[in-house]
Amino acid sequence: MIIYVVKRLLLLIPVILGICVITFVISRVIPADPAQVAAGLDAGPEQVETLRRMMGLDKPLYIQFLIYMKGLSRGDLGRSMRTRQPVMKDIQLYFPATLELAVITMLLYTIVGIPLGIISATTRSPLGDLLTRIFAILGTAMPIFWLALLFQLFFYGQLHWLPAIGRLDTYVAAPSRITGMYLFDSLLTANWPAFVNALRHIILPATTLVLGRLAVAVRLTRVSMLEMLGKDYVRTARAKGLRERAVIMRHAFRNALIPIITILALQFGWLLGGTVLVEAIFSWPGIGQYAILSIIALDFSPIMGIAVLSAVIFTLLNLIVDVSYVLIDPRISW
Amino acid sequence: MVTRKNSSWWLKIALAVVMSLACGVELAAVDPSKPFVYLTREPLTSCDPAVVVDGTAEQLHGTAYEGLLKYKDGSTELEPALAESYEVSSDALIYTFYLRKGVKFHDGTDFTSDAVKYSFERVKALNLGVATYLKGFDRVEIEGDYKVKLILQEPNVSFIYGIPWIKIISPTAARAHEQGGDWAQAWLYDHMVGTGPYMMDHWDRATELVLKKFPTYWGGWEGKHLQGLVFKVVAEPATQRMLLETGDADMIDQVLVSDIGIIKANPELVYNEEKVLGIQQIMMNTKQGPLADIRIRQAMSYAWDYEKMIAEVMGGHAYPAQGPLDPAFPEHDKTLPIYHKDLEKARQLLADAGYPHGGFTLKLAVVQRLMWEIQGGQMFQEDLAQLGVRLEIQELAWATMLSACKDPAGGFDMCFLSIGARIADPNVIFARGWHTGGVYEWSHFANPELDAILDEALRTVDPGTRRQLYVRAQRMIVDACPAIWVMTSSQRNAMRAWVHGYKMSPVDEFLTNFYTMWIE
């Protein structure tokens, strides 16, 4: 198993190299002048040239690539022309917000979606089946930005229950930074005012994301459970006199977990990539916003840095999922 | 005795959580002591006033920093700021400023001529951002603590109009934080030490900039003023409007045309609109493709529906253009011909050029997601179809457009372009849009005679002579018909009715004097 994990981690190297080559080529092929954009619309030609030289954009492409790869080998993702900061520093600023939103969303997604799917599979009600299907269609069909605006309009604009934007109120001091995720940092430092404030701010964006994708979890759990509940070993377990709850949770659900975990991992990876629309509407300062602003400005270093980050995230997530298969089903080995 | 397990503990915890969360959002009420909340569409990219020149940066820097001069509220005229008065030599090479006494920086140090020298030399050395306004600048000479001379190598009459954008920073603070000859760039990236009425409280560069009153500001705090400023980044216009309507924001910088009626109908809100210096045009590629023929360019100018663009696409919130210069400039030539839509004339011109039934395709570049450009392009597409000309519209990111439209072989026949002024001098329009090598020289006009006229106008001190040169330049450009002059625009914003003292600047939509505003 350890050898398997090490092999999978080593595979990251060619993946990152490939990502860098592809994003580098694509971003340089597009006719654009990122130095002009970074200098500002009113900057003169001399100021643009100064910035171009500062950012190394006057060098031949292959030299630019080699400089970038050399930096990458030391963990240096280059410097953003737009923010004028190291990309790594920008990622450290923006990524925790996305990670926090993704973790809370996944928690809600798991706590709500899986039980709903189990209930839907075990009650075997035609009405329940119909409602689940309708819920699935609605969830998939509703545009997420529309849902976000609707929640904002209703819960903030009409009811005034929850804040509309941001991670904290202006004059609430952020908790001492440990992870950069305000909820966890405030819990770890027992900063209850910050915790409550951060919790209130995350509810709307997290709920938007959950509702938009919940149907997938419910449907998949239901299908997976139905498949397991029809198996012989479940019939045997019932025949042995086991309580229904034990049959469902200890036998059927455990075997149904593998596809569910796969989907959960994919959903998590998607969330970590930054949910741009939700972040834009709730002014949530996550990696999605950073990516969009960088793409619009054709800021090469952040674009490549985010691509590398996404590759690492998905590779690690896939590895975690594969390892979890072994834990769930001892028959599987790598 | 049977003891029932207390299974309602989870209910109590849930109730406690809900209770704390359901405190609700406190509805905003008028409170003069609360900080003023301004919603901005883009984050500030640097606190250093020397390195970035964009609207958001200039607006935010203007709260904590000041220049020697500033634009008078609601006007294109200059007035004293850190300088009480100034003189310009007859050859426009020496600008002498008499500095204001008793001014302090946010770090408590005194404002003197050393600060001016340091700030100007810093901008010149870094050669970024606002250095664009220092064309021709050579050095600063100090004569005592309160008199400086800015010496130019070559005359630049527009120089004085860029002075408000050169902010004066504390040389003491900057020198103390210089690292490896960087002119304190690293430190000033996230610190502000100016003389302005507001000083930095904290900056979360992803979300907001918070400023508090500078107690010893030289202008004093008698009378009514804003007590603090909070600039929050909210990119989504619908969210901006929502926050304004609930009172959680005092002012927003984005008002969609479709929202104007809603805002105007709300008695708690105030809608502001005023003309701003600038021009919106479609630059035509005079070097390649069908538009290399002036007759076809003239045909395009007659095919554009100017009235419909202003009335329908812009909802009446725009003004007619007349040539390459905004009519609000004194140097504008009022005798220039004005095009109107005339498809018959356009058809005749196409026939003269050998295309009686059209039969060619043109490509128009518009800025991605900029609705008025996209809708204007679609309107144009329908009209050109009647002439047998096919128009392809392509949305491009701004960064791509800068490069693609600058290159005559970039694949575009026409490019939509808005040029704002930001300084009240016509050179800023001509230098960028019509001088060879200008950043927006997208028509590839490259006329050495025009360049010579513009260069001479920049050196000419006498206003009358200067105006004549610009009139000649305008006539030369209009006669060549390298662009469709679509309209001149207005700026729009909205605020709560409890905000007072705001005046829109005709120079730039981001020029806001927060110090003279108050809440009541």
Side-chain angles (χ1 to χ4, degrees):
Chain A
M1 170 69 96
I2 293 173
I3 295 169
Y4 174 75
V5 170
V6 169
K7 273 189 194 168
R8 288 287 297 269
L9 287 172
L10 285 174
L11 275 176
L12 256 178
I13 298 170
V15 167
I16 290 173
L17 190 63
I19 294 272
C20 287
V21 169
I22 291 169
T23 50
F24 183 87
V25 168
I26 289 175
S27 59
R28 263 55 171 198
V29 157
I30 295 170
D33 192 352
Q36 176 72 63
V37 176
L41 299 181
D42 294 316
E46 289 174 22
Q47 290 72 49
V48 173
E49 275 315 303
T50 303
L51 201 58
R52 193 173 279 122
R53 275 195 305 276
M54 273 173 63
M55 294 296 171
L57 294 174
D58 56 332
K59 297 184 171 54
L61 283 183
Y62 75 94
I63 298 281
Q64 290 183 42
F65 184 71
L66 287 172
I67 291 172
Y68 183 82
M69 294 309 293
K70 191 177 166 190
L72 187 63
S73 65
R74 296 192 311 262
D76 177 6
L77 293 173
R79 186 171 281 264
S80 164
M81 277 198 300
R82 191 179 57 83
T83 67
R84 296 159 208 274
Q85 296 296 293
V87 172
M88 189 58 88
K89 201 172 170 186
D90 284 344
I91 289 176
Q92 285 168 355
L93 175 69
Y94 288 95
F95 188 66
T98 297
L99 182 61
E100 182 175 52
L101 186 57
V103 167
I104 298 300
T105 301
M106 287 309 297
L107 271 173
L108 289 174
Y109 189 72
T110 310
I111 291 167
V112 176
I114 293 176
L116 273 182
I118 294 172
I119 292 167
S120 169
T122 52
T123 51
R124 303 260 189 144
S125 148
L127 179 62
D129 192 33
L130 179 67
L131 285 174
T132 311
R133 282 174 205 257
I134 292 172
F135 180 54
I137 292 167
L138 276 177
T140 315
M142 277 190 300
I144 207 161
F145 66 87
W146 174 81
L147 200 57
L149 281 171
L150 207 64
F151 277 172
Q152 207 175 47
L153 189 65
F154 188 65
F155 289 103
Y156 166 74
Q158 294 296 318
L159 297 179
H160 309 294
W161 280 2
L162 294 166
I165 59 168
R167 297 177 74 193
L168 281 177
D169 287 343
T170 296
Y171 291 102
V172 173
S176 306
R177 187 184 168 105
I178 301 170
T179 64
M181 296 187 282
Y182 289 166
L183 284 174
F184 298 98
D185 289 351
S186 54
L187 270 178
L188 292 170
T189 55
N191 185 340
W192 305 118
F195 177 78
V196 172
N197 202 269
L199 188 61
R200 292 181 68 229
H201 278 81
I202 206 170
I203 287 174
L204 283 184
T207 308
T208 306
L209 288 168
V210 166
L211 280 183
R213 314 289 298 180
L214 193 63
V216 174
V218 172
R219 287 290 288 176
L220 182 71
T221 306
R222 182 178 180 278
V223 164
S224 208
M225 284 295 294
L226 281 173
E227 188 189 337
M228 291 303 139
L229 287 170
K231 297 276 189 197
D232 288 342
Y233 71 88
V234 170
R235 204 174 299 125
T236 307
R238 287 190 177 122
K240 278 162 52 179
L242 276 179
R243 280 181 303 158
E244 190 61 14
R245 189 172 168 172
V247 170
I248 292 168
M249 295 311 295
R250 245 195 283 150
H251 292 280
F253 180 61
R254 185 167 169 175
N255 287 292
L257 257 182
I258 288 182
I260 294 171
I261 284 181
T262 309
I263 285 298
L264 285 180
L266 284 175
Q267 295 283 345
F268 193 51
W270 174 77
L271 286 170
L272 286 178
T275 49
V276 174
L277 294 172
V278 168
E279 287 179 5
I281 286 163
F282 292 106
S283 292
W284 193 263
I287 205 76
Q289 285 299 290
Y290 180 63
I292 277 292
L293 290 171
S294 301
I295 290 166
I296 289 170
L298 276 175
D299 199 354
F300 298 138
S301 293
I303 290 170
M304 290 177 67
I306 291 163
V308 167
L309 176 70
S310 300
V312 169
I313 287 170
F314 272 98
T315 304
L316 290 176
L317 273 175
N318 278 315
L319 179 60
I320 291 168
V321 165
D322 287 344
V323 168
S324 69
Y325 288 166
V326 175
L327 297 173
I328 294 167
D329 187 347
R331 293 172 297 176
I332 297 173
S333 65
W334 303 113
Chain B
M1 186 168 145
V2 173
T3 307
R4 283 183 65 185
K5 249 170 116 173
N6 187 355
S7 60
S8 63
W9 59 268
W10 60 268
L11 194 61
K12 288 176 186 168
I13 288 177
L15 201 62
V17 170
V18 168
M19 290 289 286
S20 62
L21 294 178
C23 291
V25 172
E26 212 176 289
L27 283 182
V30 57
D31 179 3
S33 66
K34 78 174 182 78
F36 182 83
V37 178
Y38 185 99
L39 302 184
T40 176
R41 70 197 86 164
E42 286 175 0
L44 180 64
T45 49
S46 173
C47 291
D48 189 338
V51 304
V52 185
V53 58
D54 63 52
T56 303
E58 289 175 349
Q59 182 174 52
L60 272 54
H61 293 159
T63 58
Y65 290 104
E66 297 174 299
L68 296 177
L69 303 173
K70 63 176 179 151
Y71 284 99
K72 208 170 171 180
D73 290 351
S75 168
T76 57
E77 291 175 20
L78 292 170
E79 66 175 8
L82 289 179
E84 289 182 323
S85 61
Y86 70 95
E87 292 160 1
V88 183
S89 63
S90 55
D91 56 6
L93 287 174
I94 302 174
Y95 291 75
T96 306
F97 290 90
Y98 300 89
L99 305 182
R100 194 176 295 278
K101 299 182 178 66
V103 178
K104 296 276 188 192
F105 283 103
H106 298 157
D107 59 357
T109 56
D110 291 328
F111 162 69
T112 63
S113 49
D114 178 51
V116 177
K117 185 173 165 68
Y118 183 86
S119 300
F120 273 80
E121 287 177 349
R122 182 173 186 269
V123 169
K124 185 181 174 188
L126 294 178
N127 198 23
L128 294 168
V130 295
T132 189
Y133 299 125
L134 291 188
K135 188 175 159 72
F137 171 71
D138 182 33
R139 65 188 188 280
V140 180
E141 286 180 0
I142 291 178
E143 293 183 11
D145 282 343
Y146 297 101
K147 185 177 173 188
V148 295
K149 287 186 174 178
L150 304 182
I151 315 290
L152 274 57
Q153 290 171 323
E154 54 190 27
N156 176 1
V157 177
S158 75
F159 179 76
I160 196 71
Y161 295 100
I163 290 291
W165 301 115
I166 311 297
K167 304 300 184 190
I168 308 301
I169 64 172
S170 163
T172 310
R175 287 183 181 122
H177 293 93
E178 281 182 4
Q179 293 172 27
D182 74 341
W183 291 88
Q185 270 190 93
W187 188 77
L188 283 169
Y189 167 76
D190 53 3
H191 291 83
M192 289 173 146
V193 193
T195 58
Y198 300 96
M199 51 196 289
M200 185 195 267
D201 182 289
H202 66 270
W203 180 40
D204 178 332
R205 61 188 179 94
T207 57
E208 61 186 10
L209 171 67
V210 181
L211 300 120
K212 57 190 178 189
K213 261 170 62 173
F214 175 39
T216 49
Y217 175 59
W218 62 267
W221 292 101
E222 294 81 36
K224 299 172 190 173
H225 299 281
L226 295 177
Q227 299 302 301
L229 304 172
V230 177
F231 293 93
K232 287 194 183 200
V233 182
V234 179
E236 174 59 37
T239 308
Q240 280 203 358
R241 202 188 94 205
M242 204 183 306
L243 287 160
L244 186 72
E245 286 169 344
T246 57
D248 277 343
D250 297 296
M251 193 164 174
I252 60 176
D253 72 351
Q254 286 189 91
V255 176
L256 301 176
V257 172
S258 52
D259 285 348
I260 293 173
I262 299 170
I263 291 172
K264 279 182 168 177
N266 188 333
E268 293 182 344
L269 304 181
V270 171
Y271 170 70
N272 300 305
E273 178 178 328
E274 190 161 317
K275 224 195 125 336
V276 67
L277 290 176
I279 187 107
Q280 281 74 44
Q281 57 216 324
I282 294 177
M283 299 295 241
M284 295 192 274
N285 190 339
T286 62
K287 285 290 180 283
Q288 290 199 6
L291 295 176
D293 187 330
I294 188 173
R295 291 168 296 186
I296 299 184
R297 296 200 298 273
Q298 288 169 336
M300 295 301 109
S301 295
Y302 280 111
W304 181 268
D305 196 333
Y306 301 88
E307 285 81 22
K308 190 174 176 182
M309 179 72 189
I310 291 173
E312 293 186 23
V313 175
M314 300 304 293
H317 300 282
Y319 306 86
Q322 187 182 13
L325 194 63
D326 188 318
F329 279 104
E331 293 82 1
H332 178 254
D333 180 5
K334 308 266 181 271
T335 67
L336 290 172
I338 300 177
Y339 283 92
H340 296 282
K341 182 182 174 184
D342 187 339
L343 286 183
E344 283 315 306
K345 209 157 187 176
R347 201 180 311 257
Q348 183 58 52
L349 283 161
L350 285 177
D352 293 344
Y355 297 96
H357 306 292
F360 56 88
T361 301
L362 296 173
K363 230 171 158 183
L364 167 68
V366 299
V367 175
Q368 210 171 44
R369 299 181 303 168
L370 193 54
M371 288 316 298
W372 66 263
E373 284 192 5
I374 295 166
Q375 287 166 354
Q378 288 167 343
M379 179 191 77
F380 198 31
Q381 198 176 43
E382 286 173 11
D383 287 328
L384 285 182
Q386 297 181 50
L387 300 173
V389 176
R390 190 161 163 264
L391 182 69
E392 289 176 4
I393 303 169
Q394 190 165 344
E395 290 183 51
L396 296 178
W398 178 244
T400 313
M401 206 153 160
L402 279 173
S403 191
C405 292
K406 193 88 174 22
D407 179 7
F412 290 97
D413 302 289
M414 295 188 274
C415 296
F416 237 122
L417 173 67
S418 290
I419 301 184
R422 206 156 284 161
I423 66 172
D425 186 85
N427 176 65
V428 70
I429 304 287
F430 287 109
R432 286 184 291 169
W434 302 105
H435 197 289
T436 304
V439 64
Y440 300 137
E441 214 258 299
W442 293 354
S443 62
H444 319 297
F445 199 41
N447 186 321
E449 193 187 339
L450 175 65
D451 292 347
I453 292 172
L454 295 177
D455 290 341
E456 195 185 336
L458 194 58
R459 293 190 297 268
T460 302
V461 177
D462 174 59
T465 311
R466 197 168 186 241
R467 184 177 182 279
Q468 285 309 310
L469 287 166
Y470 280 126
V471 164
R472 273 180 63 198
Q474 289 168 76
R475 180 62 61 167
M476 196 179 285
I477 293 169
V478 168
D479 285 346
C481 195
I484 301 171
W485 288 288
V486 174
M487 61 190 184
T488 62
S489 64
S490 59
Q491 50 178 319
R492 299 188 287 272
N493 61 39
M495 59 191 195
R496 296 290 303 186
W498 59 50
V499 178
H500 304 276
Y502 171 69
K503 277 189 185 159
M504 241 176 186
S505 170
V507 176
D508 185 72
E509 64 179 300
F510 294 102
L511 200 54
T512 308
N513 188 352
F514 293 99
Y515 173 67
T516 56
M517 294 162 62
W518 72 93
I519 290 175
E520 192 174 59

